Amino acid sequence: MNALTIEGSQSTPSIFADWDLGRLIMRGDSYPENSFEFFSPVIDWIERYLTESAAPFGLELRLVYMNTSSVKAMMDIFDLLEDAHGRGRQVSVNWYYDPRNERVLDLADEFREDCSFPFEIAADEQ
Amino acid sequence: MSSEPRPLHDDEALILRIEGLLAQAAYQDNPLREPLAQLFEHSQGQRHRLERLVRISDGYQTAARSDSQTLAEQYDRQLRRLEKLARISDRYQASLREMSETLREASLQDQMTRLGNRRFLVDRLNAETERANRKNAPYALAMLDVDFFKAVNDSYGHGAGDQALCKIAHCIQEHVREYDHCGRWGGEEFLIILPETALESARQVAERVRHEIGTMRHDFFDGRITASLGLTLYLPGETYSATISRADMALLRAKAAGRDRVEVA
């Protein structure tokens, strides 16, 4: 299964992964009841992509609110990307925030701190 | 491991000397030669054992040391991650708290006049009713209605009406006492709650508010806009709805008696 689509809900982001484009998109709020369960297919997909494909990988985020365990899951994902980057893989993150909510900018910046791969934070003009 | 560790210089000299003695033909028949040869062999064996022991235990020590370094590094890394997690999570929480505070304020405020709204007034009424019964110190309640407000809207437009309402709201707020509560009850009706206040003092506040509203100037016409007030005291044990009904009755009497006045019930 190379496609991954998870419908969003009030407490979970919508997730869409495209193997051929090497892209995974997350959008919305994230405070699932069980973050581990929710994020494990996402983490699995990314791990598998980074192992089986040699093409570049881009993660696109439009996340607003995250609970603590979701923050942890995101840190795990960034660690995966950092490791892959260390092995010479081309990985990147693009984090889009709502310009009406500048706080997300600071939060994304905090996430970016330990990442040495390309990590762009930009206002979402959509 | 091919190279034997080099013995100390003294050791080496001693070993060479003993080997030399043992090899000399002249001592082959010496009775001490045999025990010396055995002792020498024994000593060499001990030396080798000692060297191996040192080598092995050095190896263990190095391994243990690198293990504990790795553990310390892992620990530091996990600690940094945890700190980062807490930091990010705290920020999310702080922004949520701010947002909920903003929402709470917005939910209690009348958007147009910036005074408390009906929900705010009901909160206050509940609290003051509870306090009045607990401390046996009744509050006074004034219902204020702007006189002929419909005519203002009809003649000068809703924009002018809204502007007048905001001005009146501001005027009420400015002329009640610091610890009184006021808010927009609905339409052109305002409510003033005067905690722990006797009727006579409450009447003074109500009269002051009425007077100040009546003397205000408006941008859109030269006339005055007045207000009528119905004033009453909370009676211990009753619901605040009963108090409001009584204030309403007094307000109707003020209207009937010609407006721009305070009536007490």
Side-chain angles (χ1 to χ4, degrees):
Chain A
M1 277 286 286
N2 286 343
L4 176 71
T5 307
I6 301 174
E7 281 288 307
S9 74
Q10 194 186 1
S11 60
T12 54
S14 65
I15 291 172
F16 175 72
D18 188 323
W19 187 279
D20 296 330
L21 288 176
R23 207 159 67 135
L24 191 145
I25 302 170
M26 285 192 229
R27 181 196 294 265
D29 284 332
S30 181
Y31 49 102
E33 264 182 48
N34 187 337
S35 286
F36 180 76
E37 204 173 277
F38 180 80
F39 280 105
S40 71
V42 180
I43 291 174
D44 286 351
W45 191 95
I46 296 174
E47 261 181 328
R48 215 153 45 77
Y49 182 86
L50 292 173
T51 320
E52 292 173 17
S53 166
F57 174 68
L59 178 62
E60 186 181 309
L61 302 172
R62 293 170 198 273
L63 295 167
V64 187
Y65 176 68
M66 275 190 264
N67 66 2
T68 308
S69 50
S70 299
V71 173
K72 166 136 190 339
M74 286 312 300
M75 285 171 62
D76 288 344
I77 290 172
F78 292 149
D79 278 357
L80 272 180
L81 300 188
E82 183 67 27
D83 284 350
H85 179 66
R87 294 194 307 271
R89 288 295 303 270
Q90 200 180 326
V91 297
S92 63
V93 169
N94 283 289
W95 190 315
Y96 298 100
Y97 68 94
D98 184 341
R100 286 166 304 175
N101 192 353
E102 292 266 338
R103 281 196 198 84
V104 175
L105 169 68
D106 295 337
L107 283 159
D109 201 40
E110 190 102 47
F111 271 113
R112 176 165 66 178
E113 208 174 77
D114 302 326
C115 302
S116 58
F117 52 84
F119 192 131
E120 296 297 327
I121 304 170
D124 185 2
E125 307 296 354
Q126 277 190 13
Chain B
M1 294 290 264
S2 55
S3 68
E4 289 282 301
R6 280 179 60 86
L8 291 172
H9 183 71
D10 283 356
D11 283 2
E12 207 167 354
L14 181 62
I15 288 164
L16 285 174
R17 190 173 166 221
I18 300 293
E19 277 175 347
L21 286 171
L22 288 172
Q24 276 192 33
Y27 298 134
Q28 290 302 310
D29 296 327
N30 191 314
L32 290 179
R33 190 197 169 276
E34 180 58 22
L36 179 63
Q38 279 181 15
L39 186 62
F40 181 64
E41 199 181 324
H42 180 70
S43 151
Q44 288 295 76
Q46 291 288 66
R47 271 172 49 84
H48 284 132
R49 279 168 63 98
L50 191 64
E51 276 160 15
R52 266 187 72 204
L53 190 66
V54 168
R55 211 165 45 239
I56 291 170
S57 78
D58 274 2
Y60 271 117
Q61 212 177 340
T62 310
R65 191 150 174 269
S66 81
D67 261 7
S68 83
Q69 268 178 344
T70 313
L71 279 176
E73 275 165 22
Q74 280 178 3
Y75 175 78
D76 282 347
R77 194 166 157 269
Q78 288 300 331
L79 198 63
R80 276 200 309 277
R81 268 178 70 94
L82 194 62
E83 282 166 356
K84 180 172 174 174
L85 181 64
R87 210 163 50 235
I88 294 178
S89 192
D90 280 357
R91 295 180 82 139
Y92 272 115
Q93 210 183 338
S95 76
L96 268 196
R97 207 180 48 235
E98 266 178 50
M99 205 188 302
S100 86
E101 186 56 31
T102 312
L103 282 178
R104 199 186 69 83
E105 275 170 23
S107 77
L108 295 176
Q109 196 180 52
D110 174 56
Q111 261 202 320
M112 189 178 84
T113 63
R114 301 281 161 206
L115 239 49
N117 61 14
R118 195 168 175 131
R119 180 182 285 132
F120 164 81
L121 288 168
V122 167
D123 273 2
R124 293 328 318 151
L125 283 168
N126 276 318
E128 290 304 333
T129 302
E130 202 270 331
R131 184 155 77 145
N133 284 310
R134 180 160 40 85
K135 296 178 70 175
N136 196 25
Y139 57 88
L141 187 80
M143 184 68 83
L144 181 153
D145 188 86
V146 182
D147 296 329
F148 299 116
F149 186 69
K150 192 175 175 306
V152 174
N153 270 337
D154 290 349
S155 319
Y156 303 99
H158 285 275
D162 288 352
Q163 194 192 330
L165 270 191
C166 289
K167 250 181 131 168
I168 290 169
H170 185 73
C171 179
I172 297 172
Q173 182 140 57
E174 207 166 323
H175 292 100
V176 295
R177 300 163 306 177
E178 208 180 324
Y179 44 90
D180 295 332
H181 310 294
C182 58
R184 188 174 178 202
W185 188 244
E188 64 270 23
E189 271 192 323
F190 296 87
L191 203 66
I192 306 169
I193 304 166
L194 307 98
E196 296 182 41
T197 306
L199 200 53
E200 205 34 55
S201 315
R203 188 205 293 270
Q204 281 171 24
V205 176
E207 282 291 357
R208 181 169 71 222
V209 169
R210 182 197 61 78
H211 174 78
E212 294 295 337
I213 290 174
T215 54
M216 269 192 323
R217 308 283 308 163
H218 297 274
D219 297 336
F220 52 90
F221 82 131
D222 286 335
R224 300 187 318 134
I225 295 178
T226 60
S228 304
L229 291 91
L231 178 67
T232 192
L233 269 193
Y234 171 77
L235 300 179
E238 73 178 355
T239 63
Y240 65 74
S241 309
T243 322
I244 290 177
S245 299
R246 228 174 18 256
D248 264 336
M249 297 303 293
L251 175 61
L252 284 178
R253 285 217 311 277
K255 294 275 186 188
R259 297 182 167 82
D260 191 16
R261 68 191 63 220
V262 178
E263 282 287 330
V264 177

